[in-house]
Amino acid sequence: MKKFSIAMLSMVLAGSMLLTGCGGSKTADSSSDAQDSSTSTSDTADYKLATEGTLTMATNAYFEPWEYYDGDKIVGIDPEVAQAIADKLGLKLEIMDMDFDSIITAVSAGKADMGMAGMTVTEDRKKNVDFSQTYASAIQAIIVPEGSDIKTADDMEGKKIGVMQGFTGDLNCTEQFGEDSVVRFNKSAEAVMALQQGKIDCIVIDNEPAKKIIEANKGLQILDSKYSQEDYAIAFAKGNDGLRDAVDKALGELIDDGTVEKIMNEYIVAD
Ligand code: ARG
């Protein structure tokens, strides 16, 4: 496992060096930029962007209500908060949808400027990316078919646990219950189907997406017993401090003036 992450890290480093080397990433410099900054609160824009004038956000849009498709448009809490951040910085927002597992690599390699995907801050991820302040908290919920003999998190011992590849539910359950206990899926819809067919015994996923899943699927329920407590933040390439600081400042203002809460309330019904 250690070996793997070191190999991955050097791959990522090589990738980002390559990008810088061939001028793939650009520096937004307000002094030499003719760009109109009247709408921008960032008077000292000094950061690298994947595409000039654009804030490129890497996400995985199968995580309602945080990010999901409405037709061919990606909507949700994260895209709306990101749009508000981009507006403050005087940038256009572009969203790149990818596997959740690829987000950190894309950000580290400078292909995207930030990863925003209901992403939990973990010590391991902090080795590869820097995080903004946290903007939401979550718990890992356990979804079971009604009448399941799984009543608490401990009852998952010896069961087949459905998780989403690379999500914290995957990382935590693999660590606690072992590789053989987890069955990994790329989309929650596939996990739900497996649960309904009895191929797995439960699904561990963040609580808000869990609520959306049981709303849409009869015969499933969320256990009262929750798994772990987590915080979401935005991820940046290590060393891209100028951008991280600018986004962090904008995010802080949006939290303070209630915009983030207002956006969350549009998508999340209090329980
Ligand atoms: N919070 C969990 C994690 O960080 C799951 C995030 C999944 N996000 C997504 N957009 N698919 O691992």
Side-chain angles (χ1 to χ4, degrees):
M1 192 59 198
K2 269 243 166 61
K3 250 195 193 138
F4 174 69
S5 21
I6 289 170
M8 235 178 64
L9 183 66
S10 40
M11 241 172 63
V12 159
L13 283 177
S16 65
M17 260 145 57
L18 204 78
L19 259 174
T20 321
C22 56
S25 47
K26 298 195 176 110
T27 307
D29 178 357
S30 56
S31 56
S32 64
D33 231 343
Q35 197 189 338
D36 174 26
S37 58
S38 56
T39 55
S40 167
T41 56
S42 71
D43 33 333
T44 53
D46 179 22
Y47 41 74
K48 284 182 266 161
L49 292 168
T51 306
E52 205 172 340
T54 302
L55 183 64
T56 307
M57 157 180 163
T59 198
N60 167 259
Y62 294 89
F63 200 57
E64 190 182 350
W66 299 96
E67 41 268 324
Y68 58 101
Y69 280 91
D70 181 11
D72 56 6
K73 201 170 177 272
I74 298 174
V75 298
I77 298 167
D78 288 338
E80 284 206 28
V81 173
Q83 184 62 60
I85 292 171
D87 289 347
K88 274 188 180 283
L89 301 181
L91 299 170
K92 230 183 93 204
L93 178 70
E94 191 181 305
I95 302 179
M96 283 169 74
D97 183 22
M98 59 187 72
D99 287 343
F100 183 75
D101 253 2
S102 304
I103 297 174
I104 287 188
T105 317
V107 168
S108 307
K111 292 198 174 103
D113 302 312
M114 61 179 200
M116 190 169 189
M119 187 183 282
T120 303
V121 179
T122 71
E123 288 310 311
D124 253 359
R125 288 175 182 164
K126 274 195 205 162
K127 292 177 192 154
N128 296 313
V129 283
D130 290 334
F131 282 103
S132 68
Q133 62 191 289
T134 61
Y135 63 91
S137 60
I139 28 190
Q140 293 297 313
I142 304 165
I143 303 177
V144 294
E146 275 160 15
S148 163
D149 58 351
I150 301 177
K151 308 274 183 232
T152 70
D154 291 339
D155 296 340
M156 292 194 288
E157 185 77 58
K159 301 285 187 187
K160 287 277 173 224
I161 308 167
V163 294
M164 275 358 96
Q165 172 78 36
F167 288 17
T168 39
D170 177 7
L171 310 176
N172 297 342
C173 289
T174 304
E175 192 177 309
Q176 186 177 349
F177 300 104
E179 187 65 38
D180 292 345
S181 312
V182 301
V183 182
R184 300 193 173 93
F185 298 89
N186 280 315
K187 296 203 170 81
S188 54
E190 294 161 9
V192 169
M193 201 183 289
L195 185 61
Q196 283 164 336
Q197 292 168 346
K199 291 182 181 154
I200 54 174
D201 301 303
C202 58
I203 297 173
V204 173
I205 192 167
D206 304 48
N207 55 324
E208 294 305 333
K211 283 195 227 158
K212 296 288 176 194
I213 289 172
I214 61 152
E215 257 169 50
N217 295 279
K218 279 211 187 80
L220 301 181
Q221 68 179 72
I222 296 176
L223 292 186
D224 287 335
S225 158
K226 304 291 191 301
Y227 196 42
S228 60
Q229 172 79 45
E230 311 184 342
D231 289 307
Y232 292 168
I234 308 174
F236 300 89
K238 282 210 166 286
N240 200 354
D241 295 348
L243 180 64
R244 195 203 50 197
D245 291 349
V247 170
D248 204 44
K249 179 167 173 273
L251 175 62
E253 290 168 6
L254 294 164
I255 292 172
D256 290 346
D257 73 5
T259 305
V260 170
E261 199 187 339
K262 185 173 155 274
I263 293 171
M264 290 212 278
N265 288 339
E266 281 166 26
Y267 289 88
I268 295 175
V269 186
D271 40 10

